[in-house]
Amino acid sequence: MNKSYHALPTLNLQGPCFPTQPIELPPIIHIDDPATTTFVSFERHRAPIISTYRSLGDARAEMELFNLPVLLVTDVDKHVIGIITREDILGEKPVKLSQEKRIPRSEIEVEMVMTPIREVHVIEDSDLTHAKVGHIIQTLREVNQHTLLVKKDDKIHGYFSVSIISNQLDTVIADVLSNALSIAQLQHDLHA
């Protein structure tokens, strides 16, 4: 089948122009702002994925290169089977594993320290309609996680992260997660 293609019309720019920029999260938020102001949506950002067989060094490099707090761990069919966070890589999990299995840290693979998807708390996208940043912080506190995945239909739609929320609130919210500080105290400190 012989198809013919025609050239598309072209034009000359008459002055300087700017490139399109991706939608970014706002730099500063407040606890009463809509939760979506701190939500990392995979409709606007590439989903951060890594394969199970990759090394912790690879995962750390990927996180540092793109400033990511979490990677979705996928199997050979690209199904999400878990997550790996900075805490998983830099915390005590790899140290214990290295000691127990008597293997060097460089041989530890992502699958060995990831959190399986069945242990990860996920919320529905539809629950975000009226949710505020404070609701997300309280949910993270109750489930004792630093990352909260969001599901839409049958897909992982995005996530919330303690580190991103902390940066946007310009305060460390880790004390809230460890129950050393209540949401009310955090809100008071933010408005003080």
Side-chain angles (χ1 to χ4, degrees):
M1 187 182 279
N2 192 5
K3 293 183 179 180
S4 66
Y5 297 95
H6 64 277
L8 298 176
T10 63
L11 53 98
N12 292 81
L13 297 175
Q14 301 303 312
C17 61
F18 297 99
T20 301
Q21 297 294 321
I23 298 170
E24 295 184 17
L25 296 174
I28 300 294
I29 60 168
H30 303 287
I31 200 165
D32 293 323
D33 285 347
T36 54
T37 60
T38 192
F39 176 58
V40 178
S41 169
F42 297 152
E43 290 178 349
R44 292 181 257 156
H45 302 275
R46 181 181 72 86
I49 62 171
I50 193 163
S51 299
T52 56
Y53 60 85
R54 300 275 301 277
S55 72
L56 286 189
D58 291 344
R60 183 176 182 180
E62 181 91 2
M63 286 180 173
E64 288 176 358
L65 180 64
F66 297 105
N67 194 26
L68 298 168
V70 65
L71 295 171
L72 303 176
V73 182
T74 58
D75 61 14
V76 293
D77 296 321
K78 301 294 184 202
H79 295 118
V80 177
I81 61 167
I83 65 169
I84 188 164
T85 65
R86 284 186 186 143
E87 292 83 13
D88 293 331
I89 295 170
L90 301 174
E92 59 186 56
K93 276 185 181 180
V95 174
K96 285 182 177 179
L97 189 64
S98 180
Q99 291 171 348
E100 288 172 5
K101 298 204 179 250
R102 301 198 186 284
I103 58 174
R105 186 180 177 96
S106 60
E107 292 181 18
I108 298 175
E109 295 179 349
V110 166
E111 186 174 33
M112 300 165 126
V113 296
M114 72 174 195
T115 302
I117 198 69
R118 68 183 174 279
E119 295 175 19
V120 177
H121 293 274
V122 179
I123 61 174
E124 291 280 351
D125 178 74
S126 58
D127 290 330
L128 298 177
T129 306
H130 301 290
K132 305 289 184 196
V133 172
H135 292 113
I136 301 304
I137 295 171
Q138 184 62 30
T139 304
L140 287 162
R141 178 183 189 180
E142 287 184 15
V143 299
N144 195 27
Q145 288 183 182
H146 284 232
T147 303
L148 186 61
L149 297 181
V150 177
K151 177 182 163 293
K152 184 176 185 180
D153 302 321
D154 290 333
K155 296 181 180 177
I156 303 297
H157 182 56
Y159 67 93
F160 291 97
S161 163
V162 167
S163 61
I164 292 173
I165 295 171
S166 291
N167 287 341
Q168 290 179 294
L169 284 174
D170 196 27
T171 190
V172 178
I173 62 169
D175 287 341
V176 173
L177 300 183
S178 67
N179 293 324
L181 188 69
S182 71
I183 297 285
Q185 288 169 313
L186 174 66
Q187 190 168 13
H188 177 268
D189 290 350
L190 288 172
H191 294 296

